[in-house]
Amino acid sequence: MSDIATSGKTINVALIGYGFAGKTFHAPLLSAVPEINLYAIVSSDAAKVHADFPQMQVFAEPQQAIAHPEIDLIVIASPNTTHAPLARQALEAGKHVVVDKPFTLDMQEARELIALAQEKGLLLSVFHNRRWDSDYLGVRQAIEQGAVGKVAQFESHIDRFRPQVRVRWREQNVPGSGLWFDLGPHLIDQALQLFGLPESVQGNIATLREKAEVNDWAHVVLNYPAHRAILHCSMLAAGGVSRFSVHGSKGSLIKARIDQQESQLLAGVMPGSEGWGVDEDAMTLYSGEEAPRQLPTPAGDQGQYYRQIARALNGQQQNPVPPLQALAVMAVLEAAVKASASGQAQRPELSAEEKAALRFPQIQ
């Protein structure tokens, strides 16, 4: 790691991209960390940035931020096609890099970036912010405490009701678009954090809305030796579907509603303020003969990601999302696409060396 790793100084950050991800997630979360200074934002719409940050330095081109001598960390929240080329440029310029999910368009690009970051001694991380969602944290805690016993079936849904196709790159027929590349990384990352790498992946990815150009529905099964993890996302689910359902040898756990941090950010609630991440939707535990009981859901805090990035850059902890973990997410993401196209289960294409080096804090 470079000199910043032990300097303890304020970390100057340039955020590339001020669309939905940059404006809604990255800018507020970065701004809430005392050790981080959001130094500049790269956007073609300076007025949009200045409406939120009147004094912010705005660059029209990413290269202006990448070449700037005062900037330590580049955060890439631009369209998926730009992730790999911009990350490569930033690493070659000696900058630490955070990339929004998905890491890259394919595993080869991801491997090249990992090798470059290692060669340069720089931090490379991927923004898997939903590790700090209230719903996931609650379900994880309940499983770890043995509430459902040995897990047999784990089901994770992120469903939305958007029947009308929007005019935005995520819903256009361009590389890296579609619902699976948008929400799949969240679903996969949480599952891998719980259970590690699956033996194989089955997938059914489809385009179901009228006039849709890219996939807007996905149903993926991760096959483990003694249980199954079902990952599902849809643009045509108006309600009635639980965020998580977990079934095991002692009972079942249901978490109905999704984490509220995205809604809070959209409403202008700042990370760390009163009520931030609070989830009043309790989990329900069914244990056979006993009456169902409610388990409280812990508060979420996606701000943990950038707080931990700051600590990692100041030499106080490890990278919260090592790039090899993000590569494993890419392996499952690609395996599901291949499984859907072929109708056959696929193994995640990680090498023996990558698997040996891969570490997840999974539940035993």
Side-chain angles (χ1 to χ4, degrees), residues 80 83-84 99 102-107 109-110 113 181 330 333:
N80 296 346
H83 287 188
V99 186
F103 188 2
T104 57
L105 294 184
D106 60 55
M107 292 180 69
E109 288 182 332
L113 292 179
F181 260 67
M330 291 295 302
L333 196 72

Side-chain angles (χ1 to χ4, degrees), residues 5 71 81 126 137 140 142 147 182 187-188 203 224 242 252 277 285 354:
I71 290 171
T81 53
V126 178
L137 292 172
R140 182 184 187 97
D182 183 19
L187 297 166
I188 295 166
Y224 293 90
S242 297
S252 297
L285 180 65
E354 288 165 342

Side-chain angles (χ1 to χ4, degrees), residues 2-85:
S2 69
D3 292 343
I4 192 174
T6 56
S7 67
K9 74 180 185 73
T10 298
I11 300 157
N12 288 331
V13 176
L15 170 61
I16 298 178
Y18 204 65
F20 178 76
K23 175 182 168 66
T24 307
F25 292 99
H26 293 277
L29 294 174
L30 285 161
S31 299
V33 181
E35 298 85 357
I36 286 176
N37 173 38
L38 184 53
Y39 187 95
I41 293 175
V42 177
S43 173
S44 60
D45 189 349
K48 180 181 178 182
V49 175
H50 287 145
D52 297 329
F53 299 95
Q55 305 304 315
M56 183 61 62
Q57 184 170 194
V58 179
F59 295 134
E61 297 296 334
Q63 288 70 29
Q64 294 173 273
I66 290 170
H68 199 290
E70 295 298 316
I71 290 171
D72 306 301
L73 171 66
I74 299 290
V75 174
I76 300 169
S78 44
N80 296 346
T81 53
T82 69
H83 287 188

Side-chain angles (χ1 to χ4, degrees), residues 183-204:
L183 298 183
H186 289 314
L187 297 166
I188 295 166
D189 184 64
Q190 290 178 338
L192 298 192
Q193 288 293 301
L194 289 172
F195 307 117
L197 198 68
E199 291 184 336
S200 65
V201 179
Q202 295 168 273
N204 190 333

Side-chain angles (χ1 to χ4, degrees), residues 27-326:
L29 294 174
L30 285 161
S31 299
V33 181
E35 298 85 357
I36 286 176
N37 173 38
L38 184 53
Y39 187 95
I41 293 175
V42 177
S43 173
S44 60
D45 189 349
K48 180 181 178 182
V49 175
H50 287 145
D52 297 329
F53 299 95
Q55 305 304 315
M56 183 61 62
Q57 184 170 194
V58 179
F59 295 134
E61 297 296 334
Q63 288 70 29
Q64 294 173 273
I66 290 170
H68 199 290
E70 295 298 316
I71 290 171
D72 306 301
L73 171 66
I74 299 290
V75 174
I76 300 169
S78 44
N80 296 346
T81 53
T82 69
H83 287 188
L86 288 176
R88 185 176 296 109
Q89 290 175 38
L91 290 168
E92 288 174 343
K95 309 297 187 185
H96 302 287
V97 173
V98 165
V99 186
D100 203 339
K101 57 77 203 165
F103 188 2
T104 57
L105 294 184
D106 60 55
M107 292 180 69
Q108 182 58 36
E109 288 182 332
R111 287 185 171 109
E112 290 171 359
L113 292 179
I114 292 172
L116 181 58
Q118 289 174 340
E119 175 191 331
K120 297 284 188 178
L122 295 165
L123 179 139
L124 173 62
S125 189
V126 178
F127 185 62
H128 283 303
N129 55 315
R130 290 192 178 272
R131 294 185 185 185
W132 293 275
D133 276 5
S134 60
D135 46 30
Y136 166 74
L137 292 172
V139 167
R140 182 184 187 97
Q141 182 181 81
I143 295 173
E144 287 178 330
Q145 293 174 349
V148 299
K150 186 175 177 60
V151 173
Q153 177 181 319
F154 170 87
E155 190 160 350
S156 174
H157 281 246
I158 301 182
D159 292 320
R160 296 167 174 169
F161 188 62
R162 295 177 182 170
Q164 303 302 318
V165 177
R166 299 180 180 183
V167 180
R168 56 179 192 154
W169 71 262
R170 293 183 190 278
E171 298 187 53
Q172 295 169 347
N173 189 17
V174 297
S177 64
L179 191 63
W180 179 238
F181 260 67
D182 183 19
L183 298 183
H186 289 314
L187 297 166
I188 295 166
D189 184 64
Q190 290 178 338
L192 298 192
Q193 288 293 301
L194 289 172
F195 307 117
L197 198 68
E199 291 184 336
S200 65
V201 179
Q202 295 168 273
N204 190 333
I205 302 171
T207 304
L208 301 182
R209 293 177 301 169
E210 185 178 356
K211 296 182 180 179
E213 297 181 19
V214 291
N215 67 79
D216 54 15
W217 183 94
H219 189 85
V220 173
V221 179
L222 309 187
N223 296 316
Y224 293 90
H227 76 280
R228 299 292 182 266
I230 300 166
L231 312 180
H232 187 96
C233 52
S234 171
M235 288 288 212
L236 287 173
V241 182
S242 297
R243 172 68 181 91
F244 287 105
S245 304
V246 187
H247 307 287
S249 59
K250 290 185 179 178
S252 297
L253 181 75
I254 304 298
K255 175 66 174 81
R257 287 175 52 201
I258 196 167
D259 172 274
Q260 294 299 296
Q261 289 173 88
E262 180 174 338
S263 296
Q264 288 184 320
L265 289 166
L266 286 168
V269 178
M270 291 304 296
S273 62
E274 185 177 355
W276 167 253
V278 171
D279 189 340
E280 297 179 351
D281 176 52
M283 300 174 289
T284 304
L285 180 65
Y286 299 87
S287 52
E289 298 176 358
E290 298 178 11
R293 62 188 178 98
Q294 302 295 295
L295 301 179
T297 302
D301 185 10
Q302 293 181 14
Q304 279 289 345
Y305 176 79
Y306 277 119
R307 283 197 289 277
Q308 292 189 31
I309 286 290
R311 290 200 290 269
L313 288 175
N314 283 322
Q316 298 167 334
Q317 73 160 76
Q318 296 298 310
N319 185 344
V321 183
L324 192 57
Q325 291 184 4

